[in-house]
Amino acid sequence: MTTPNPNRRRFLGQAALSAGAFTFLTPEMLFGAAPKAYTVQQIIDLILKEGNLKPIPDTVDTIKSGNANQTVTGIVTTMFATATVIEQAAKLKANFIIAHEPTFYNHRDDPEWVKGNEVVKKKQALLEKHKITVWRFHDYCHSLKPDAIRYGVVKKAGWTQYYKNETPALTIPATTLGELVKHLKTKLGIQKLRVIGDLSQSCSKLAIMPGAAGGQRQVSVAVAEKPDVLIVGETPEWEGVEYARDGRLLGSTMALIVLGHAVSEEPGMEYFVEWLQPKISGVKVTHVASGDPFQWV
């Protein structure tokens, strides 16, 4: 005959009083949920889903290097996936770069755009060395609500309270053109700007067009909005620049500020980190600025 174990009876009695009698602790309950693993394609699909973005026919937003099925160890956002950005991504153990602009020096990222291009071959080899996938995020980036690039610029400039209706135009408290230039240089971290206008003139209504929208679109906005200052990333000098110069010579007071392409859109890719990071777990998203390509002498 077996002698009853009083400790066993006590344990069974306490277990019987509980709703489920026994609770089995999983590793997740003991140590926290395991980080989710994403492939490059899953990240891309998540961005399109979370952004409520419909497929864009013939988009340039395609993978430029690497593999859609690669498991993502870290993400870097940037304007241009320069050789420096690639090396920095590797140091961060990030194998997925989301770049706003082309990687191989032409709109379609055609590596055969100029045949025998040794720079392209070396860049491809660098990406292969570090097993880094590059996806261009241009058309879809501008399709977000709000447009991530323009909103990033407005946010970094401290003007979100004046940004209405998703249009390039916004009105800020009156200031001089000179003070506006100083403000943009400080807030956006730009070393030099190019300006057409009287630095002492008053300005309040701005039209902000970062990047390279093209002379026709820039002039169209200038005509429609009649801003005190048109602020662009870059513009063909024989189009937007000459329009602004002749306009002033013929009685207009509109000033023009040219920020530079890379530095004008970089704040948008920096803001995109804030947009994306809360939507994924277990993968670090970091912004690495490609920076101003020019040395000012």
Side-chain angles (χ1 to χ4, degrees):
M1 180 176 179
T2 304
T3 303
N5 185 332
N7 292 329
R8 182 173 180 274
R9 286 201 301 270
R10 188 182 304 116
F11 173 77
L12 291 173
Q14 290 171 343
L17 291 174
S18 69
F22 295 98
T23 300
F24 295 96
L25 298 179
T26 65
E28 288 79 9
M29 295 170 66
L30 289 170
F31 306 111
K36 180 175 174 59
Y38 297 90
T39 65
V40 165
Q41 190 60 56
Q42 286 173 330
I43 294 290
I44 294 172
D45 292 343
L46 180 147
I47 291 169
L48 301 188
K49 181 177 181 292
E50 292 291 329
N52 195 27
L53 299 170
K54 296 179 180 179
I56 298 174
D58 199 31
T59 181
V60 295
D61 292 5
T62 58
I63 291 174
K64 310 304 179 182
S65 172
N67 190 335
N69 295 320
Q70 178 169 278
T71 299
V72 176
T73 60
I75 300 171
V76 160
T77 72
T78 192
M79 259 296 286
F80 290 91
T82 66
T84 301
V85 170
I86 293 167
E87 294 285 10
Q88 186 61 33
K91 289 179 182 178
L92 293 169
K93 301 187 185 309
N95 64 353
F96 184 25
I97 295 177
I98 300 177
H100 186 63
E101 293 294 19
T103 299
F104 298 117
Y105 326 116
N106 64 92
H107 187 54
R108 291 285 175 185
D109 277 294
D110 177 6
E112 296 298 319
W113 185 57
V114 174
K115 294 187 181 301
N117 192 327
E118 289 299 321
V119 174
V120 167
K121 293 178 183 178
K122 288 179 180 179
K123 194 169 191 180
Q124 289 174 324
L126 182 63
L127 288 163
E128 175 60 27
K129 171 187 173 183
H130 295 299
K131 304 300 180 187
I132 289 176
T133 296
V134 177
W135 177 55
R136 187 175 179 190
F137 183 51
H138 181 273
D139 299 348
Y140 288 116
C141 187
H142 286 298
S143 298
L144 287 173
K145 302 297 181 186
D147 177 322
I149 297 297
R150 186 183 291 120
Y151 184 78
V153 174
V154 169
K155 184 176 186 293
K156 195 157 189 178
W159 294 332
T160 53
Q161 67 268 42
Y162 311 117
Y163 186 53
K164 313 288 183 185
N165 304 321
E166 285 285 315
T167 65
L170 58 86
T171 300
I172 64 171
T175 185
T176 65
L177 180 60
E179 288 302 314
L180 178 62
V181 167
K182 290 179 184 177
H183 179 84
L184 288 169
K185 288 173 67 176
T186 300
K187 290 290 187 179
L188 303 187
I190 301 175
Q191 183 182 358
K192 297 288 185 181
L193 300 179
R194 290 186 291 171
V195 182
I196 292 176
D198 180 351
L199 294 180
S200 66
Q201 74 181 73
S202 178
C203 51
S204 180
K205 186 176 182 180
L206 315 177
I208 300 177
M209 303 184 73
Q216 186 176 30
R217 286 180 61 194
Q218 291 162 345
V219 172
S220 295
V221 167
V223 170
E225 297 291 349
K226 296 180 172 51
D228 299 322
V229 187
L230 176 63
I231 303 172
V232 303
E234 66 170 279
T235 185
E237 293 188 15
W238 50 279
E239 293 180 348
V241 170
E242 290 305 318
Y243 169 81
R245 176 158 68 171
D246 263 351
R248 294 185 66 85
L249 293 172
L250 296 171
S252 169
T253 59
M254 188 196 80
L256 175 69
I257 295 177
V258 181
L259 303 173
H261 192 144
V263 291
S264 76
E265 293 193 292
E266 196 80 69
M269 295 308 290
E270 184 177 358
Y271 159 71
F272 185 63
V273 174
E274 299 177 28
W275 186 94
L276 179 59
Q277 185 66 85
K279 297 173 175 58
I280 58 177
S281 60
V283 178
K284 176 68 174 174
V285 186
T286 307
H287 177 70
V288 177
S290 54
D292 190 339
F294 294 106
Q295 177 182 357
W296 298 91
V297 296

